[in-house]
Amino acid sequence: MRTDVGALKGRRVLVAASGSIAAVKTPLLVSGLVQAGAEVRCLLTPSAEQLVSPVAMATLSRHRCYRDQDQWDPSRSRPLHIELAEWAELMVVAPLSATTLGRWSQGLADGLLASTLLACERPVLAAVAMNTAMWRHPAVQANWESLQRLPGVIPLSPTAGLLACDRLGDGRMADPLQIELAVAALFSRQEAELSVDRSWSGRRLLVSAGPTLEAIDAARLISNRSSGRMGVLLAQVARLRGADVELVHGPLQVPQAWLEGLDCEPVESAEQMQQALHRRQDQASALAMVAAVADLRRSDGGLPSKPPKSGLPQLFEQGWEPMPDLLRGLVDRRPAGQRILGFAALTGADHDLLMRGGQKRAGKGCDLLMVNPIDRAGEGFGENQASGWLLGDGLQQRVPLKSKLAVAHHLLDALGELLKTTTSC
Ligand code: CTP
């Protein structure tokens, strides 16, 4: 599944791999970025070359792959590490090994990658990977912490799982799809020059996403077309901008890799979603209710048996109740200072959307409501793009059609502004 083709078209990305076995996955990242339209250059350290072929990197990036022996070339009028650092709009180091992390954080410039990193004045995405014991070593942790204080560095912490050394624990490199998503999110800011925005640092965002499932009987259920894409992308963009993010979600139709780095709680029914959100609400600075909650449920919670289809008309005629409004309840019980964003998936003409959106926001009491049409080609449920209106107190802002990643930035900017006016959170 492609992330956001528009955001990467023609953008210049320098992908570097250092010596960790995770380098075998770097060609997948290069291939994904190229397919999304980015211009990619590759660089391998001598250790990475032991693990992944420069020929693979050159073929997938459609350009020669640079190595240490290329650094001091008498046929070049300028040093290669300066040229590469100035060429790139964004650098991605994936994997970042303990050695390269150490060199970079200590300001050492031996080798092509180390010197390019010091020469680079553009943002650098750093996806670390190593054995769990190495990762937990205090010296490595100290280097990782000092790296995060450097301007322009966007850290992608390792995830937990089975490592190539057979250890089960932290140390896996972020999935190539997750890295590609982060690259696309950075380029979705729609500003002339790429910059690192950590404006959500120190804030906790609670997001709900996806549909809920309500049991009719032992086999059948009621749900809706929500894929969860908008909610997951909002959560990931907030994480990249420094937030701690919790995601309570129904069944999703997005790559599993897009959930990395989020504190996820999968649920099925609206009642389970409500319980999870209530349990987590008090710690959150802001809440984004992106989930498409089912509108009806059976008052008996769903039959334990499966009646034959001849009994269905009768089953649909009685025993149903409207779903309580989770968002309204969350607004009523929110802690002081918490800001809440709701979504409204609507159909119809713009003036209708605005009128019904305004009524909805008043009824639900949320600070912001993103009203988005779901009956227009290429936007809405499961699509890459969205548009609509952002409504708030004295606010009626047109959100033009753009990628959901760009919409996520837009909404986080608006929510962030409201949080600035909050005293106790
Ligand atoms: N929502 C909720 N609980 C519900 C229904 C909706 O919390 N039972 C939230 C959604 O997460 C979303 C917002 O309310 O943030 C608006 O959802 P929408 O489906 O547009 O609203 P409904 O209240 O269900 O209105 P409608 O009658 O148009 O279906």
Side-chain angles (χ1 to χ4, degrees):
M1 191 184 294
R2 290 263 64 79
T3 312
D4 182 10
V5 176
L8 292 182
K9 207 155 244 133
R11 305 311 294 252
R12 299 184 306 277
V13 184
L14 175 61
V15 176
S18 54
S20 152
I21 187 64
V24 300
K25 297 188 220 164
T26 312
L28 290 176
L29 170 64
V30 172
S31 170
L33 293 172
V34 168
Q35 286 181 59
E39 252 192 82
V40 179
R41 300 283 182 271
C42 297
L43 189 167
L44 293 178
T45 65
S47 316
E49 253 188 84
Q50 307 286 316
L51 301 157
V52 62
S53 151
V55 179
M57 302 289 270
T59 308
L60 291 169
S61 66
R62 283 54 163 175
H63 198 275
R64 65 170 298 183
C65 171
Y66 297 105
R67 300 177 284 167
D68 268 14
Q69 57 263 46
D70 303 317
Q71 189 170 9
W72 302 110
D73 176 349
S75 68
R76 283 184 177 278
S77 55
R78 301 186 74 219
L80 179 60
H81 56 282
I82 305 298
E83 281 205 341
L84 288 174
E86 289 179 358
W87 173 85
E89 291 178 88
L90 173 72
M91 241 186 114
V92 179
V93 190
L96 174 66
S97 68
T99 308
T100 299
L101 166 64
R103 285 198 185 103
W104 186 12
S105 59
Q106 304 299 317
L108 301 176
D110 54 327
L112 179 59
L113 175 54
S115 34
T116 307
L117 281 169
L118 293 191
C120 183
E121 293 173 308
R122 297 286 167 76
V124 187
L125 256 174
V128 80
M130 65 193 75
N131 158 275
T132 310
M134 292 169 74
W135 169 243
R136 289 191 187 154
H137 194 286
V140 171
Q141 285 297 310
N143 286 340
W144 183 239
E145 269 165 38
S146 46
L147 190 74
Q148 292 179 57
R149 287 195 292 273
L150 298 181
V153 176
I154 305 134
L156 285 180
S157 299
T159 62
L162 180 63
L163 306 181
C165 54
D166 272 340
R167 180 145 180 178
L168 205 55
D170 287 338
R172 284 170 69 97
M173 184 177 80
D175 190 285
L177 278 179
Q178 168 70 218
I179 301 173
E180 188 186 329
L181 177 64
V183 173
L186 285 166
F187 281 119
S188 296
R189 206 53 213 270
Q190 293 179 340
E191 277 159 10
E193 190 161 306
L194 199 63
S195 63
V196 178
D197 174 347
R198 305 286 288 172
S199 57
W200 274 75
S201 290
R203 291 178 180 156
R204 183 172 289 271
L205 177 67
L206 176 58
V207 181
S208 73
T212 64
L213 306 183
E214 308 301 327
I216 299 173
D217 60 29
R220 302 172 179 106
L221 47 84
I222 285 200
S223 189
N224 56 61
R225 291 181 195 274
S226 168
S227 64
R229 199 178 180 91
M230 184 69 241
V232 171
L233 294 179
L234 183 77
Q236 285 293 2
V237 172
R239 178 171 84 103
L240 270 177
R241 290 174 61 168
D244 285 322
V245 185
E246 300 178 52
L247 179 71
V248 175
H249 64 86
L252 300 171
Q253 297 166 58
V254 300
Q256 185 64 24
W258 285 10
L259 302 184
E260 277 182 13
L262 306 171
D263 174 1
C264 289
E265 182 166 344
V267 296
E268 286 200 341
S269 67
E271 192 177 345
Q272 289 168 0
M273 181 169 279
Q274 185 181 41
Q275 283 168 4
L277 291 170
H278 283 195
R279 204 173 343 101
R280 293 167 178 265
Q281 184 178 18
D282 285 355
Q283 295 80 46
S285 338
L287 165 66
M289 196 63 197
V290 198
V293 183
D295 292 318
L296 282 175
R297 67 179 172 197
R298 285 201 59 84
S299 10
D300 54 15
L303 297 181
S305 58
K306 182 191 170 217
K309 55 181 172 293
S310 58
L312 282 183
Q314 199 193 349
L315 194 61
F316 279 114
E317 257 165 36
Q318 55 198 11
W320 294 90
E321 61 183 25
M323 192 66 74
D325 194 318
L326 273 51
L327 177 52
R328 176 73 252 180
L330 288 155
V331 167
D332 288 344
R333 66 188 297 288
R334 67 170 145 183
Q338 184 176 77
R339 296 302 192 168
I340 300 188
L341 162 72
F343 270 71
L346 293 175
T347 54
D350 277 358
H351 63 272
D352 251 359
L353 301 192
L354 274 173
M355 191 194 60
R356 283 157 57 210
Q359 288 165 351
K360 253 181 218 256
R361 194 179 84 82
K364 291 173 189 269
C366 50
D367 301 290
L368 293 171
L369 186 78
M370 172 69 193
V371 176
N372 63 305
I374 54 162
D375 56 350
R376 300 179 190 176
E379 58 180 305
F381 286 154
E383 298 286 351
N384 253 338
Q385 294 188 303
S387 74
W389 297 87
L390 183 60
L391 308 181
D393 277 339
L395 177 76
Q396 193 183 88
Q397 189 178 66
R398 174 90 184 122
V399 179
L401 185 66
K402 50 189 174 183
S403 76
K404 286 186 173 173
L405 285 170
V407 172
H409 278 296
H410 189 120
L411 298 173
L412 289 168
D413 286 343
L415 210 47
E417 280 307 308
L418 283 184
L419 282 170
K420 278 191 204 154
T421 62
T422 295
T423 43
S424 58
C425 200

